[in-house]
Amino acid sequence: MNTGWEEKCLWLAEHFHQLSKEQQHTIIYDLEQDHAELLNLWTVQDELLSSLKDVLKCDHPLSFTNATEPSEGIGYYQLEMYNKATEKLAEEVAAGCQKTRLLLYLGFASIYEDKDQQAKDAFLTVFQQTNDLVEKHFSLCGLGLLEGRKENIEEAIPYFEKALTVTNNDDVVYNLGTCYYWLGKFDVAAQLFRTLAETTTDPEAYYWLGKSCLEQNDIHSAYEAWYRALEERIDFDVVMSVACEFEERGEFVCALHCYQRLIESGCNNEAVLHGTAWNLGLLDRRDESRHLFKELTAKNPDNVNVWISYLWLLTKWGFIEEQESVAAFLERKNVTHPLLEKIVYSKNK
């Protein structure tokens, strides 16, 4: 996946001058979309890594058969001093005490330090030598995580699936669902997220369930899942993501409901108020939208994204005098952005 993206970039650089403006913009947009998908995938993998780290250093339903003996290397790991942890853990492993437990820590510390081969060797040794089911489970998770971080999704899946045969772990089910999603196997992904949502009522599970259903053109189930995400405990990032999903599909009433749920829960930061004002405007509730935009721009005059939304709506509504006043103010304050210029240009054209 990443190789293809780099090849596209190189090709564009070599042929840029031969392309029309429209072709240039189209290819750049496609590259940005591909890059966004990669970032989403890496975020998912990092979330699993973080969750596994928490399990290893805290009390958790998944617990080792034998307690972990204190060690200097584990201490560095818990302090997130991963470079020192890898060095000390390697020394402690050589001493022969609680070898597989220390190797497990060494594997995850090595991931943080981008020492993939060292991590892989540690996880394979743990898997082959341990009698502790939880150690075996996490060694398989670590191997899957290594493949996932290299974007070898098809190679990561068997490790995660085998880990679940050793012991159940909701974080692994979640990660497995995202793997199938990125492979385009949306029916399998939906089933995994549906199972997870039923057992954990996790807002993120409902969010990905909705996306998986949407990819199968099951709009009713997708929207139902997203509304369930709003009913469970409010997760700011999930609700914001659901709001964006609704907005992209032109469901502005639904998007506005998401922002209102955040406000009701006490989340009324700039991003939430901006989304509220924007969707009010898209619903043609002009007075409410303008009032909120005026408050936002007064409190945050340097937020160019708010100005773009406000100016676009004023132009759409035909409020020429107010649009010209805003444009003049931005010019005086030297607030610039290509989209601002494009909006003003399209109005004057």
Side-chain angles (χ1 to χ4, degrees):
M1 187 185 299
N2 192 40
T3 302
W5 187 83
E6 290 178 351
E7 288 175 350
K8 287 181 185 177
C9 288
L10 291 172
W11 186 91
L12 178 60
E14 293 173 0
H15 299 85
F16 192 82
H17 63 286
Q18 301 171 0
L19 304 174
S20 67
K21 291 288 185 183
E22 183 176 352
Q23 289 173 323
Q24 292 170 358
H25 291 159
T26 298
I27 295 174
I28 290 172
Y29 175 79
D30 289 342
L31 287 170
E32 289 174 342
Q33 293 298 107
D34 290 345
H35 191 243
E37 288 194 3
L38 287 177
L39 290 176
N40 284 336
L41 175 59
W42 291 333
T43 298
V44 167
Q45 299 293 340
D46 284 341
E47 286 175 354
L48 176 61
L49 181 57
S50 178
S51 71
L52 293 177
K53 181 186 70 173
D54 290 340
V55 170
L56 286 171
K57 73 178 185 180
C58 304
D59 291 334
H60 193 273
L62 292 173
S63 58
F64 300 113
T65 303
N66 299 313
T68 303
E69 297 296 328
S71 88
E72 190 174 345
I74 292 174
Y76 284 130
Y77 180 90
Q78 292 176 329
L79 292 171
E80 301 184 1
M81 299 171 65
Y82 301 116
N83 184 40
K84 296 284 288 183
T86 56
E87 295 175 0
K88 194 62 185 177
L89 285 165
E91 294 176 9
E92 293 174 329
V93 167
C97 298
Q98 53 176 359
K99 179 180 177 181
T100 55
R101 186 69 48 82
L102 293 173
L103 278 170
L104 193 62
Y105 278 91
L106 176 60
F108 286 109
S110 298
I111 290 179
Y112 277 105
E113 289 297 301
D114 295 321
K115 298 177 179 178
D116 288 359
Q117 189 58 52
Q118 180 172 270
K120 184 174 183 178
D121 291 343
F123 291 136
L124 284 172
T125 302
V126 173
F127 177 74
Q128 293 164 357
Q129 297 185 5
T130 187
N131 293 317
D132 188 304
L133 290 181
V134 175
E135 285 185 357
K136 192 177 290 290
H137 170 81
F138 280 124
S139 68
L140 290 165
C141 291
L143 291 166
L145 187 58
L146 281 171
E147 296 298 338
R149 283 162 63 88
K150 291 186 291 186
E151 299 157 36
N152 299 329
I153 305 303
E154 291 182 339
E155 287 76 10
I157 285 175
Y159 286 121
F160 291 134
E161 290 182 331
K162 192 166 185 177
L164 289 176
T165 66
V166 177
T167 187
N168 191 45
N169 182 344
D170 290 338
D171 291 321
V172 177
V173 176
Y174 172 84
N175 196 255
L176 196 54
T178 59
C179 285
Y180 277 113
Y181 180 89
W182 293 116
L183 286 178
K185 298 181 178 180
F186 304 116
D187 55 337
V188 181
Q191 184 56 48
L192 286 162
F193 289 125
R194 185 172 287 108
T195 300
L196 187 59
E198 290 171 354
T199 57
T200 67
T201 64
D202 182 359
E204 287 193 40
Y206 282 115
Y207 170 70
W208 284 101
L209 172 59
K211 285 182 69 69
S212 301
C213 291
L214 195 63
E215 292 288 351
Q216 299 175 84
N217 295 316
D218 187 352
I219 298 174
H220 175 77
S221 295
Y223 286 11
E224 183 178 55
W226 285 339
Y227 266 93
R228 288 293 301 275
L230 306 181
E231 294 171 1
E232 306 299 336
R233 59 179 175 82
I234 294 297
D235 182 304
F236 178 83
D237 291 334
V238 170
V239 179
M240 288 291 286
S241 296
V242 171
C244 291
E245 296 282 354
F246 278 134
E247 187 179 306
E248 288 178 8
R249 296 185 60 79
E251 303 286 359
F252 306 128
V253 172
C254 299
L256 183 60
H257 176 66
C258 294
Y259 291 115
Q260 289 173 335
R261 286 288 289 127
L262 287 170
I263 292 172
E264 290 168 2
S265 69
C267 302
N268 59 349
N269 60 24
E270 187 176 352
V272 173
L273 296 178
H274 180 189
T276 302
W278 173 244
N279 281 277
L280 284 169
L282 294 174
L283 288 168
D284 215 32
R285 292 165 62 173
R286 302 181 181 186
D287 290 341
E288 296 168 88
S289 177
R290 288 168 66 203
H291 175 74
L292 197 46
F293 269 117
K294 287 177 181 179
E295 284 188 357
L296 278 167
T297 52
K299 293 179 181 178
N300 309 283
D302 296 325
N303 189 327
V304 69
N305 291 323
V306 173
W307 284 114
I308 290 170
S309 300
Y310 185 24
L311 193 62
W312 187 90
L313 287 170
L314 292 174
T315 304
K316 176 178 180 288
W317 294 331
F319 290 178
I320 305 303
E321 185 176 341
E322 189 172 347
Q323 188 258 13
E324 290 177 343
S325 175
V326 169
F329 173 82
L330 294 175
E331 186 175 359
R332 289 196 304 273
K333 294 294 185 181
N334 197 31
V335 178
T336 61
H337 189 280
L339 283 178
L340 285 172
E341 297 168 8
K342 185 176 180 179
I343 294 168
V344 174
Y345 173 77
S346 65
K347 173 261 174 188
N348 294 327
K349 188 173 179 181

